């Protein structure tokens, strides 16, 4: 599995010959809008953790370009289904075998309204199990004890955790989350996009390293392999 970072919580996953976009927020992100052309993105699926604008802004445009199926909670899936997009609704604790792997929609502690205030269901994260490794994408969340449930079912090889603080966990709680999920290889997300969530990169990496963990902070468009 190849994981490419596009800023905030936007990711591209390449799993075999399938392309998955997660939480596309590119045209509205000053850090990525000049570096990534959403018209170049390939997508068979678009996974949305919750309805906030910094996670769904470019979902419609990419779905229109690609015909991708939007996978999210019931309310978000229905929101896009009503607009004519292909959707797959899920809800917390449920898993589904897609043609790229098994996806579980797991708990996140956050909120999930659409930009116009419409109810966007409850926020979540995704645990994705594939032949090429397993990834946990936490979405926007506080540190929760529920994270301890994840390794009871799935050995996580890479976890994408928010580290920007203020709206989500910060670095210190993300280190505890890494303990809870029993995964020491963390890709940081949800930082630097706005003033509220700017972080000290070196300090964040040092704090993870002091606990024997690796914090990856990728450039926009940079990739890691699982
Ligand atoms: Ni959010
Ligand atoms: Mn967010």
């Amino acid at each position: 599995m190849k994981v490419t970072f596009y800023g905030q919580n936007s990711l591209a996953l390449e799993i075999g010959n399938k392309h998955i976009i997660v939480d596309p927020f590119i045209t509205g992100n000053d850090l990525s809008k000049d570096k990534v052309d959403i018209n170049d993105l390939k997508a068979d699926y678009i996974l949305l953790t919750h309805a906030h604008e910094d996670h769904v802004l470019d979902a419609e445009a990419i779905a229109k370009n690609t015909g991708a199926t939007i996978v999210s909670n019931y309310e978000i899936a229905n929101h896009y289904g009503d607009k004519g997009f292909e959707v797959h609704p899920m809800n917390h604790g449920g898993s589904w075998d897609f043609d790229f792997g098994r996806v579980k929609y797991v708990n996140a502690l956050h909120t999930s309204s659409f930009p116009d205030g419409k109810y966007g269901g409850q926020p979540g994260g995704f645990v994705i199990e594939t032949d090429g490794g397993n990834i946990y994408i936490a979405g926007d969340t506080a540190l929760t004890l529920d994270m301890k449930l994840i390794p009871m079912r799935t050995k996580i090889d890479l976890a994408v955790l928010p580290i920007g603080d203020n709206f989500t966990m910060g670095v210190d709680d993300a280190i505890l989350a890494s303990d809870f999920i029993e995964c020491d290889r963390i890709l940081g997300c949800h930082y630097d996009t706005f003033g509220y969530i700017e972080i000290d990169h070196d300090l964040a990496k040092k704090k993870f390293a002091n606990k024997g963990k690796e914090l990856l902070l990728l450039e926009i468009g940079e990739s890691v392999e699982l």
Side-chain angles (χ1 to χ4, degrees):
M1 186 189 311
K2 182 177 164 190
V3 180
T4 305
F5 179 65
Y6 290 132
Q8 196 64 343
N9 201 48
S10 301
L11 305 164
L13 311 180
E14 248 184 274
I15 303 171
N17 60 357
K18 296 294 174 185
H19 294 85
I20 295 130
I21 297 288
V22 180
D23 283 2
F25 172 70
I26 292 160
T27 60
N29 183 349
D30 288 339
L31 301 179
S32 53
K33 65 183 181 192
D34 297 327
K35 295 180 178 158
V36 184
D37 183 347
I38 59 167
N39 297 307
D40 293 340
L41 299 178
K42 292 181 190 161
D44 298 294
Y45 299 91
I46 299 170
L47 271 53
L48 302 177
T49 60
H50 65 295
H52 285 161
E53 186 168 47
D54 60 315
H55 298 257
V56 305
L57 181 71
D58 296 316
E60 284 191 31
I62 295 168
K64 220 169 269 174
N65 281 345
T66 60
T69 298
I70 295 173
V71 180
S72 191
N73 69 27
Y74 181 77
E75 289 78 7
I76 294 173
N78 278 350
H79 171 85
Y80 291 108
D82 288 346
K83 293 179 174 218
F85 293 103
E86 288 294 323
V87 298
H88 181 109
M90 299 187 75
N91 220 325
H92 301 90
S95 300
W96 183 260
D97 286 314
F98 290 89
D99 55 5
F100 59 86
R102 187 168 178 83
V103 176
K104 187 173 194 178
Y105 192 63
V106 296
N107 293 352
L109 185 56
H110 192 68
T111 56
S112 177
S113 47
F114 281 96
D116 65 359
K118 181 179 172 183
Y119 179 57
Q122 297 296 308
F126 295 102
V127 172
I128 306 174
E129 299 178 349
T130 77
D131 293 340
N134 304 328
I135 186 170
Y136 168 48
I137 299 166
D140 286 6
T141 183
L143 176 66
T144 74
L145 282 170
D146 290 348
M147 291 170 180
K148 290 189 174 187
L149 297 172
I150 291 171
M152 296 171 81
R153 293 295 303 273
T154 305
K155 186 199 168 299
I156 300 297
D157 299 301
L158 177 74
V160 185
L161 301 181
I163 56 170
D165 223 331
N166 192 72
F167 297 116
T168 67
M169 296 189 282
V171 168
D172 296 317
D173 278 353
I175 289 169
L176 289 174
S178 155
D179 286 335
F180 288 1
I181 60 175
E182 299 175 17
C183 173
D184 290 334
R185 191 172 186 226
I186 303 301
L187 172 58
C189 72
H190 217 273
Y191 63 93
D192 286 0
T193 313
F194 322 112
Y196 288 123
I197 59 175
E198 277 170 17
I199 66 159
D200 180 330
H201 292 205
D202 290 337
L203 181 62
K205 285 182 178 175
K206 203 174 291 170
K207 283 182 168 183
F208 272 82
N210 285 344
K211 299 287 185 183
K213 300 172 185 293
E214 180 185 18
L215 176 66
L216 301 163
L217 299 178
L218 300 182
E219 299 294 328
I220 304 291
E222 197 180 346
S223 302
V224 288
E225 294 278 350
L226 242 73

